[in-house]
Amino acid sequence: MNSMKKSNAYYKKNLKKIPVTILTILLCVVFFSPFLVMVTTSLKTNADAFQLPVKLLPREVIWDNYPEAMDIIPFLQYFKNTIFITFFSVIGQLLSTPLIAYSLAKIKWRGSTIISSLIMGTMMIPYTVTMIPLYRIWNNLGLAGTYLPLIVPTFFGSPFYIIIMRQFFTGLPNSLMEAAKIDGASEFKRYVSIALPLSKPALTTVGIQAFISAWSDYMAPLIYITKTEKLPLSLGLQQFLGSFSTDWTHLMAAATLFVIPVIIFFLIFQKNFVEGISTSGLKA
C-alpha cells in the first residue's frame, strides 16, 4: 500500500510538471525560430529565399554565401573594430562598477543612500533624451568621430550594473569585513582580497551583459562614428541594405557570423551568469 501511495504521489507530481514543460518548449521554439530562419536563409540562393510557399530548409546548401559576404564588405576590419570597442567597454565596466557598488554597499559615508537613489533614478531616463546633449559635449571636445565617446563612459559605470553589484555586496556578511579590519587590512585591501573574489558570479553577469551591449550597440556608433573604416559590425551590416533591393542571403550570412561570438561567449559563462543573477538579489 505504501509503495502504491508513493507511486501515485510520484505520478501526480510529474503530471503537474507537464504543462510547465510544454510551455517552456513552446517558448524555446518561439525564441529560437528567428535564429533558425536566419541561419537557413544564409544557406539559400536568393531565388530559394523568396520561394513560395516558404520552405525552412534550403533545397541546395550554398556555403559560398559566407566567404562572399565577408568579401562584399570589409568584414574583418569591422570585426576588429567591434572587438576593440567591446574589449575596452567590458574592461571599463569591470573596473569601475564593483568599485562604485562596494562604496555604496559597504562603506558608510554621508549621502550614499541619496546617491544610490539617484543612480536608480537615472535608469528611467531613456538614451534618446540624452544623446543630443552628449553628442554636443563630445563634439565640443573634438572627440566626435573617435571611439572615445563609446569607451570612456564605461569607465564611470552603468546604473544597471552598479545596482546588480551593490545588491551582491550588500548580501556579503559584515563579519568578514570586520574581521579583516581587526587584522589591520585597509578598506582597499578588504575590497581586493575579500569582496572581489567572492563577487565572481556577479562580475561574470556584468561582464556578459556589458559584452552583449557593446557588441550589438547600434545607436551610439551611428551617432559618433563617421568614417567607414571605423564602423563596427552592427553598422557595417547595414551596407547590405540597398535602396531598391536587399541581398538577403549574404546579409543573413554576415548576421550569423555577427551573432556567433555572442552565443559562444554566453555558453562559456552561462553557469556563472545564472549564478550571478540568483545571488545578486534580483531574483523573483
Side-chain angles (χ1 to χ4, degrees):
M1 291 294 293
N2 290 332
S3 60
M4 290 182 62
K5 289 182 179 179
K6 290 181 180 180
S7 179
N8 291 334
Y10 174 79
Y11 285 118
K12 287 181 179 179
K13 184 178 180 180
N14 287 331
L15 284 174
K16 292 180 180 179
K17 294 181 180 179
I18 292 177
V20 177
T21 304
I22 294 174
L23 180 61
T24 302
I25 294 173
L26 290 175
L27 289 175
C28 289
V29 170
V30 170
F31 284 105
F32 185 72
S33 294
F35 178 77
L36 182 61
V37 171
M38 178 180 70
V39 174
T40 55
T41 303
S42 70
L43 298 172
K44 296 178 179 179
T45 62
N46 277 318
D48 197 7
F50 292 96
Q51 181 187 13
L52 293 176
V54 178
K55 292 184 178 180
L56 180 62
L57 299 177
R59 289 180 296 180
E60 180 184 359
V61 177
I62 309 297
W63 294 106
D64 290 340
N65 286 340
Y66 284 87
E68 289 174 2
M70 297 176 67
D71 291 335
I72 292 175
I73 64 172
F75 186 90
L76 292 180
Q77 180 62 42
Y78 294 164
F79 189 76
K80 292 177 183 178
N81 296 340
T82 308
I83 291 177
F84 180 83
I85 296 170
T86 303
F87 175 79
F88 285 102
S89 297
V90 173
I91 293 297
Q93 294 291 358
L94 293 181
L95 287 176
S96 60
T97 299
L99 272 172
I100 300 170
Y102 179 83
S103 68
L104 294 173
K106 291 299 181 183
I107 301 177
K108 296 181 180 179
W109 51 280
R110 185 178 298 178
S112 60
T113 304
I114 298 175
I115 296 298
S116 297
S117 301
L118 289 175
I119 290 175
M120 294 184 68
T122 58
M123 294 174 63
M124 296 185 291
I125 303 176
Y127 181 69
T128 51
V129 174
T130 60
M131 63 182 184
I132 294 178
L134 287 174
Y135 176 79
R136 295 189 63 179
I137 292 173
W138 289 110
N139 190 49
N140 291 336
L141 292 173
L143 298 176
T146 68
Y147 293 139
L148 291 179
L150 308 178
I151 295 174
V152 171
T154 63
F155 283 84
F156 293 90
S158 172
F160 178 65
Y161 305 148
I162 292 172
I163 296 303
I164 291 178
M165 292 299 303
R166 180 181 176 275
Q167 290 297 104
F168 183 88
F169 285 137
T170 301
L172 293 180
N174 291 326
S175 57
L176 290 175
M177 304 301 172
E178 293 172 358
K181 185 177 182 180
I182 293 173
D183 290 338
S186 63
E187 194 70 62
F188 186 74
K189 180 70 174 179
R190 298 198 292 272
Y191 166 73
V192 173
S193 302
I194 300 176
L196 274 184
L198 292 175
S199 64
K200 182 181 176 181
L203 280 174
T204 303
T205 301
V206 170
I208 293 175
Q209 294 281 3
F211 177 87
I212 295 174
S213 177
W215 185 271
S216 60
D217 189 13
Y218 178 84
M219 184 62 70
L222 179 64
I223 296 172
Y224 294 108
I225 305 301
T226 55
K227 295 183 178 179
T228 304
E229 62 272 15
K230 289 186 176 182
L231 293 177
L233 273 174
S234 56
L235 286 180
L237 296 179
Q238 193 178 24
Q239 297 184 26
F240 288 99
L241 302 177
S243 299
F244 303 100
S245 63
T246 300
D247 190 355
W248 286 108
T249 55
H250 291 110
L251 174 60
M252 294 298 104
T256 302
L257 294 174
F258 176 70
V259 171
I260 286 176
V262 179
I263 297 175
I264 294 174
F265 190 83
F266 178 79
L267 291 177
I268 293 174
F269 297 101
Q270 180 182 11
K271 182 179 178 181
N272 300 92
F273 177 76
V274 175
E275 185 180 353
I277 291 294
S278 64
T279 56
S280 64
L282 299 179
K283 56 187 177 181

